[in-house]
Amino acid sequence: MRRLAVWLLAFCLLLPPTAWAASDPTQGGKYPQMIESETLVALATEQVESAMADLKETRRHTLEVSKAPRSLHAPAGELTYDVSIPNGLRYGGTTPVYVAIKTDGVPYRQVICYFRLHVYDQIVVAAKDLRPAVVLGASDLRLEEREVGSTSAKYLTSVDAAVGHEVNRLVREGIMLTEPMLQNPVIMQAGVQIYIVANVNGVRIKTEGVTLQRGREGDIIRVRNVHSSKVLRAKVLDATTVEVLQ
């Protein structure tokens, strides 16, 4: 019995590779077609690029495969692929792309290719340490290409958008500027003479007043009508004018 087992082992080892392939149902029988990993990645990549085009995305971007599907065998028949991104594109994070494989229109298997999508833009950053209550000039800022994420929608792409404003906190050199970091400078001090305007039944009325608070453009501050001594809440329009709230 032992001699028979040894003889069978030797016989199998001497078989040519083609004999093994013929006996393997995944290669030569029921699943004769090979779908390479590179093919699946290419299909997923094409879908991502198509989705970027649909979003009219013109910023520079790169696509990094973080996990590729393995090559696999498929049944005989015409291969077709349905590729989708059900969770949408995620900038700076992991984006799974699903590839559904069919043979002769019959679903066979679904695989997932994981990407990291990197999107870049020219962004305004601090050219030096920026301190609050200092009006920004062009020399305080510079443009740099930086990666942006899905939550970076409020970053600035124009130096002019920040010039003339102040930062509302200490901003270190190289930090990206965003809209919430900026505020208008104080243009109206407390205790100064100003004009108060109001719209009454379609008629614009203008009178003299004095400020009780300092304010920035767009701020709501308290002012006093110098003729009636009435205290009003008004919106700062410019350095000399406020408009009474209705």
Side-chain angles (χ1 to χ4, degrees), residues 10-82:
F11 176 78
C12 291
L13 291 174
L14 291 174
L15 283 174
T18 54
W20 283 105
S23 64
D24 186 348
T26 64
Q27 294 187 32
K30 190 176 179 181
Y31 303 96
Q33 300 190 86
M34 171 66 79
I35 305 175
E36 300 292 346
S37 173
E38 292 79 6
T39 299
L40 298 169
V41 170
L43 289 166
T45 300
E46 182 180 356
Q47 185 66 23
V48 172
E49 296 296 346
S50 177
M52 294 286 279
D54 290 342
L55 293 174
K56 295 181 171 53
E57 180 60 79
T58 59
R59 293 172 292 187
R60 187 177 77 84
H61 67 274
T62 59
L63 202 56
E64 172 191 351
V65 179
S66 56
K67 184 178 181 181
R70 295 181 180 180
S71 301
L72 69 149
H73 292 275
E78 181 184 3
L79 293 173
T80 54
Y81 307 91
D82 291 332

Side-chain angles (χ1 to χ4, degrees), residues 125-126 128-132 167-177 181:
V125 302
K128 59 184 179 182
D129 289 352
L130 306 177
R131 300 186 180 280
V167 291
N168 54 20
R169 71 198 76 171
L170 175 63
V171 178
R172 295 296 186 185
E173 179 181 355
I175 296 298
M176 176 177 69
L177 265 67
M181 290 182 182

Side-chain angles (χ1 to χ4, degrees), residues 210-213 220-224 231-234:
V210 63
T211 59
L212 301 179
Q213 295 174 276
I220 307 300
I221 64 171
R222 292 183 301 116
V223 298
R224 177 181 287 112
V231 175
L232 307 166
R233 284 170 52 81

